[in-house]
Amino acid sequence: MKFQLEDVTIYFPYDNIYPEQYQYMLELKRALDAKGHCLLEMPTGTGKTIALLSLITSYRLSKPSNPIKLLYCTRTVHEMEKTLAELKLLYNYQLQHFGPGARMLAIGLSSRKNLCVNPSVVSAENRDSVDAGCRKLTASWVRAIAVENPNIPTCSYYENYDTADKAGTSTLPAGVYTLQELRLYGKEKGWCPYFLARHMVQQANVVVYSYQYLLDPKVAGIISKEMERECVVVFDEAHNIDNVCIEALSVSVRKQTLEGATRNLSRMSNEIERLKATDAGRLRVEYNRLVEGLAQRLPAQDVWLANPALPDDIMKEAVPGNIRKAEHFLSVLRRFVQYLNGRLETDNVEKEGPVAFVASINTQVGIDQKMLKFCYDRLHSLMLTLEITDTDEFLHIQTVCDLATLVGTYTRGFSIIIEPYDERMPHIPDPVLQLTCHDASLAIKPVFERFQSVVITSGTLSPIDLYPRLLNFNPVVSRSFKMSLTRDCICPMVLTRGSDQLPVSTKYDLRSDPGVEKNYGKLLLEMVSVVPDGVVCFFVSYSYMDGIVNSWHESGILKDIMQYKLVFIETQDVVETTLALDNYRKACDSGRGAVFFSVARGKVAEGIDFDRHYGRLVIMFGVPFQYTLSRILLARLEYLRETFQIKEGDFLTFDALRQAAQCVGRVIRSKADYGMMIFADKRYSRHDKRSKLPGWILSHLRDAHLNLSTDMAVYIAKEFLRKMAQPYDKNGALGKKTLLSQEDLENMITGPDGEMLL
């Protein structure tokens, strides 16, 4: 359908639109008009992605004098492919109705591992090995030697691409390219899809890539530094964006890291000696360049990861004199590694700020803040001078230099925490030194300052007012939308006690109580006997899941559950979990149904959908609080309280409830779908906890569904399933329209707050 939204003609590739999609577009347009940032919470399964893409691409078409570029950030490759598939549908519709003027180029950009087509490189098992394999074939010095000696292997795909690039013909025709299509196009042309995509990022109108490409300074410094201000940045599924920001600026070092770094330094030392004997001029050229403090313009294939500090915080000056000579620099790194080794030899937990840590390094091994700050760039320069291609072997020393540069750059918002062992396994010595960032606003600040509009959107942003404080920005629009439904297809329940009326909870003093474990088992057993198809269970942690499954096994409850449905379990091994998910889906497809045990902060809770018959019921066993004795978490809570006046309890509850909402939201992925959600913990009956759930769940949570026992929950489930078994009328028999046609939109009047009055 094609309709007018204020002064913009919207091209929407479906015959009908949901009222909340229309309102979402309206709020998004207001943010773009104001050239400001916005926070939008939209229920899962209401077509958020297509509404977003339609509005932003239509906005571009209606304002040709001010063309905007869309940078769409997703969490996983699976979500990236889904977004590009939606965009392809939209693009075809726009071409049909707008004509050739709607031409655009949209690409997905991912790591070499996902885009490489060279069989000898892409067969490596992990991303770092693929990157190193690529470098061995494409580094400028390798290619220069290969010109003289044809026996030196190079990559034909890169060579063909480079030839086309020099001739100015390495372009992509207009269109929308998924990662799979980029690979196919690369194979067909004989070009490298990874470098082609990197090259086309500047010309593309829409780029879909991962959060790290904007938030992690090491990656953003290579990929996103030349993006213009007129970009609109979208962070989709952004409920955990604060955690992504913090991870981007945190580093941890263990004994194994330091042992690896020592090996790296020995090898570099040998390389320097070899170079002095064979080509001392190269070291001299590097020294002179460092004296002048010249920034290098590197060929794309030689670029290593950029500086881990944020671009505004990197000083543009010459490298300090005492680390310009390669051997002097290695001696500094050796002393630093020795210092870190000494710090890990501790029996007590230690915590200090960056200033005290840097002062201690200076006192003990004579390395000052400025030398630390330049460690990463100096290492980068030396690796290029030594022409090292197997970068995956040098990850340890890179981590050490990461730590040095960050600790030398930042004086606040960070802590150094040294733990001799994991709290949960005190008998196993595993010392770790962690530079942990507490301030999520640091990593996202350059994004807010550089781009005119940043959109943070997800199905679970409640309570929405905490994000501007956590990320330290002022949104021009902040809105949470409800789900318009023709029938009550969501049935949330709060279960507080078992059939024997004993309270259930994963609270620390109750979680290992045999009565609670038995009641949780009985609840699942009763539910699998009445709920058809798939049932998904989320536990608060892997250790709790292991304990409770063992207890159910011993008491025979698990055997009883398996009389009704097969049971599959998520583990920390990605391959095992993927296999378990595939078999779970097969069991559901065969009509028998199955149960999937998962963890609230695991991989499945984030990106896997249990739509239709794959998830008719989801049970959240307990409240998924973070491990509250974690010293990193305690340090962050202290920082949030002192800097942003966010109370510890408020943050912990907010974090646990957004995680719980994310888990239960997996069960409903469209309006034709239906499912039940059971929050099985007495703490959910408290208003201060429950009120932090998203509005679209709360609006379906009736008073009669609070404070239930197992028997009552089973009765409600039977009634709900009976009601859902009736034929589904998508137009709505209740007189409330949940699908709007073109005609409805033309006759519609909008209220003062954007509400629709039909």
Side-chain angles (χ1 to χ4, degrees):
M1 67 195 313
K2 184 174 145 190
F3 61 91
Q4 214 49 33
L5 185 79
E6 293 176 351
D7 58 338
V8 172
T9 306
I10 304 288
Y11 296 88
F12 189 73
Y14 297 102
D15 295 335
N16 298 89
I17 186 170
Y18 297 143
E20 56 269 43
Q21 283 179 310
Y22 184 87
Q23 290 172 319
Y24 185 86
M25 286 182 181
L26 201 58
E27 295 296 347
L28 187 53
K29 181 186 175 294
R30 284 173 185 167
L32 295 186
D33 286 342
K35 293 185 165 47
H37 313 312
C38 65
L39 272 168
L40 298 170
E41 180 182 55
M42 175 99 147
T44 52
T46 48
K48 174 173 80 251
T49 308
I50 195 66
L52 224 156
L53 295 171
S54 290
L55 185 277
I56 295 175
T57 53
S58 301
Y59 194 90
R60 184 179 76 84
L61 293 176
S62 65
K63 299 187 190 292
S65 57
N66 180 19
I68 57 174
K69 176 169 179 161
L70 172 59
L71 303 181
Y72 194 102
C73 302
T74 65
R75 295 177 65 87
T76 62
V77 172
H78 173 65
E79 284 170 7
M80 187 190 296
E81 293 286 53
K82 248 174 23 181
T83 303
L84 287 162
E86 293 259 33
L87 190 57
K88 192 183 274 286
L89 178 78
L90 173 64
Y91 177 57
N92 292 336
Y93 181 81
Q94 287 180 347
L95 277 179
Q96 208 177 322
H97 291 266
F98 191 89
R103 285 161 71 87
M104 69 168 162
L105 176 61
I107 57 171
L109 179 61
S110 187
S111 62
R112 287 176 175 85
K113 175 89 179 142
N114 296 321
L115 281 175
C116 176
V117 287
N118 186 323
S120 65
V121 174
V122 81
S123 56
E125 69 275 5
N126 63 34
R127 200 176 70 197
D128 295 317
S129 308
V130 173
D131 289 351
C134 173
R135 203 177 175 82
K136 282 172 192 165
L137 300 178
T138 62
S140 52
W141 55 87
V142 172
R143 295 171 63 223
I145 299 167
V147 171
E148 312 288 323
N149 178 359
N151 296 330
I152 299 285
T154 56
C155 173
S156 61
Y157 291 101
Y158 182 76
E159 295 302 324
N160 294 341
Y161 159 75
D162 191 50
T163 308
D165 190 35
K166 284 177 180 152
T169 56
S170 62
T171 55
L172 270 172
V176 178
Y177 295 85
T178 62
L179 300 183
Q180 176 66 19
E181 285 164 343
L182 268 175
R183 284 198 299 270
L184 287 172
Y185 185 81
K187 275 184 178 169
E188 187 188 307
K189 286 281 197 178
W191 295 347
C192 168
Y194 172 74
F195 283 102
L196 176 64
R198 281 266 301 268
H199 171 63
M200 294 310 294
V201 157
Q202 299 305 326
Q203 281 92 322
N205 311 104
V206 181
V207 180
V208 183
Y209 53 21
S210 122
Y211 280 37
Q212 272 67 27
Y213 285 49
L214 275 180
L215 295 177
D216 186 335
K218 296 198 290 296
V219 190
I222 312 169
I223 305 288
S224 306
K225 67 171 187 286
E226 286 160 15
M227 298 293 187
E228 52 277 2
R229 177 167 169 73
E230 285 67 40
C231 293
V232 174
V233 176
V234 173
F235 289 107
D236 195 10
E237 297 298 327
H239 45 277
N240 280 340
I241 191 165
D242 53 316
N243 295 337
V244 179
C245 292
I246 276 168
E247 281 161 27
L249 292 174
S250 297
V251 185
S252 64
V253 170
R254 291 186 138 79
K255 282 279 188 203
Q256 299 90 307
T257 319
L258 299 178
E259 285 161 11
T262 307
R263 286 196 301 275
N264 295 160
L265 290 170
S266 303
R267 190 175 140 194
M268 287 166 92
S269 187
N270 295 339
E271 289 286 322
I272 289 169
E273 292 308 315
R274 187 183 58 76
L275 205 55
K276 275 184 179 169
T278 57
D279 189 358
R282 247 189 12 237
L283 287 168
R284 214 168 26 253
V285 167
E286 184 198 37
Y287 180 81
N288 293 337
R289 196 182 69 243
L290 295 171
V291 169
E292 292 166 30
L294 297 178
Q296 252 180 311
R297 283 292 295 168
L298 296 172
Q301 72 274 22
D302 289 350
V303 173
W304 200 30
L305 290 174
N307 193 302
L310 296 165
D312 298 349
D313 302 318
I314 298 168
M315 287 163 60
K316 304 283 187 283
E317 53 185 271
V319 171
N322 40 9
I323 56 171
R324 281 181 200 153
K325 277 202 164 165
E327 51 271 53
H328 292 174
F329 175 56
L330 288 193
S331 139
V332 165
L333 285 184
R334 276 203 191 89
R335 297 206 305 274
F336 185 51
V337 168
Q338 187 187 343
Y339 170 81
L340 293 176
N341 256 318
R343 291 300 301 262
L344 284 178
E345 300 284 334
T346 178
D347 297 329
N348 305 314
V349 173
E350 296 173 22
K351 175 185 171 231
E352 58 192 71
V355 177
F357 188 69
V358 169
S360 150
I361 296 169
N362 202 354
T363 311
Q364 292 191 34
V365 288
I367 303 172
D368 64 24
Q369 183 190 357
K370 198 167 179 193
M371 284 152 78
L372 288 170
K373 184 181 270 199
F374 280 96
C375 273
Y376 193 88
D377 285 341
R378 182 66 190 91
L379 177 72
H380 190 177
S381 171
L382 185 57
M383 299 265 292
L384 287 170
T385 304
L386 298 177
E387 296 183 347
I388 287 169
T389 52
D390 49 347
T391 44
D392 55 334
E393 300 290 326
F394 285 80
L395 292 173
H396 299 296
I397 193 66
Q398 188 185 322
T399 304
V400 168
C401 289
D402 251 10
L403 174 73
T405 294
L406 286 170
V407 87
T409 306
Y410 295 104
T411 52
R412 56 187 305 277
F414 289 79
S415 290
I416 288 89
I417 297 174
I418 304 166
E419 295 180 286
Y421 50 77
D422 189 324
E423 277 286 295
R424 288 163 280 194
M425 290 180 283
H427 51 287
I428 302 173
D430 179 22
V432 58
L433 181 148
Q434 299 169 88
L435 172 72
T436 169
C437 173
H438 307 315
D439 192 344
S441 66
L442 283 174
I444 203 167
K445 184 181 166 205
V447 181
F448 284 139
E449 286 178 350
R450 236 178 92 198
F451 300 114
Q452 65 181 26
S453 286
V454 177
V455 180
I456 292 176
T457 186
S458 174
T460 45
L461 287 178
S462 296
I464 205 163
D465 56 340
L466 208 53
Y467 283 90
R469 290 163 70 193
L470 279 175
L471 302 175
N472 200 15
F473 77 111
N474 293 316
V476 291
V477 173
S478 178
R479 186 83 194 270
S480 184
F481 299 95
K482 297 256 178 20
M483 200 173 190
S484 58
L485 295 167
T486 51
R487 57 177 186 168
D488 289 332
C489 60
I490 306 171
C491 179
M493 301 178 242
V494 173
L495 182 125
T496 57
R497 54 197 194 281
S499 309
D500 54 7
Q501 304 306 310
L502 280 175
V504 292
S505 176
T506 54
K507 216 170 161 189
Y508 207 72
D509 50 354
L510 279 177
R511 65 167 52 179
S512 45
D513 182 316
V516 172
E517 291 180 346
K518 191 177 106 202
N519 274 325
Y520 274 155
K522 284 277 168 53
L523 165 67
L524 182 56
L525 178 57
E526 294 277 345
M527 283 298 172
V528 293
S529 68
V530 298
V531 176
D533 302 320
V535 175
V536 188
C537 303
F538 286 100
F539 297 87
V540 290
S541 66
Y542 282 108
S543 57
Y544 183 64
M545 178 168 76
D546 291 347
I548 207 162
V549 170
N550 276 336
S551 156
W552 289 349
H553 176 64
E554 283 162 16
S555 62
I557 290 176
L558 198 59
K559 194 174 171 196
D560 294 342
I561 290 168
M562 291 179 77
Q563 298 291 321
Y564 294 100
K565 296 184 193 298
L566 294 174
V567 173
F568 298 92
I569 300 183
E570 174 187 2
T571 65
Q572 284 169 324
D573 183 299
V574 178
V575 179
E576 269 182 29
T577 301
T578 308
L579 197 61
L581 268 169
D582 281 351
N583 288 325
Y584 168 80
R585 290 211 158 97
K586 277 182 196 157
C588 290
D589 289 339
S590 73
R592 182 176 174 186
V595 183
F596 195 83
F597 288 170
S598 182
V599 173
R601 292 178 187 276
K603 286 271 178 276
V604 172
E606 275 305 326
I608 308 295
D609 295 342
F610 294 98
D611 52 338
R612 308 186 322 277
H613 61 293
Y614 299 125
R616 288 299 178 212
L617 165 69
V618 61
I619 304 176
M620 180 74 241
F621 288 112
V623 185
F625 281 108
Q626 286 192 56
Y627 177 62
T628 45
L629 293 178
S630 150
R631 295 202 167 73
I632 291 177
L633 177 61
L634 292 171
R636 185 181 176 195
L637 291 173
E638 187 185 323
Y639 181 82
L640 289 176
R641 190 184 66 238
E642 289 171 2
T643 313
F644 299 118
Q645 287 72 52
I646 296 171
K647 292 181 190 154
E648 285 99 327
D650 287 354
F651 178 77
L652 286 170
T653 305
F654 151 78
D655 182 63
L657 271 288
R658 70 175 166 181
Q659 207 59 48
Q662 189 58 24
C663 293
V664 297
R666 304 284 99 210
V667 81
I668 186 112
R669 307 311 293 173
S670 81
K671 294 191 182 188
D673 203 356
Y674 63 89
M676 294 175 288
M677 310 164 174
I678 296 180
F679 296 93
D681 193 305
K682 64 175 187 177
R683 288 173 289 179
Y684 287 112
S685 63
R686 285 173 45 186
H687 184 263
D688 65 321
K689 296 272 189 292
R690 202 174 61 245
S691 61
K692 291 187 168 58
L693 287 169
W696 60 273
I697 294 179
L698 285 177
S699 61
H700 292 274
L701 186 55
R702 302 199 189 96
D703 289 347
H705 291 182
L706 298 173
N707 203 9
L708 301 177
S709 67
T710 302
D711 316 349
M712 294 153 79
V714 171
Y715 174 75
I716 290 169
K718 284 179 179 170
E719 287 296 304
F720 174 75
L721 290 167
R722 199 171 296 137
K723 203 164 75 184
M724 288 299 111
Q726 307 310 311
Y728 171 52
D729 171 17
K730 67 177 181 184
N731 292 318
L734 304 175
K736 50 180 184 179
K737 288 218 164 188
T738 64
L739 276 177
L740 305 175
S741 64
Q742 184 118 15
E743 194 185 341
D744 291 330
L745 288 176
E746 284 160 11
N747 300 333
M748 188 184 64
I749 309 159
T750 309
D753 59 350
E755 291 299 320
M756 308 170 114
L757 313 167
L758 284 167

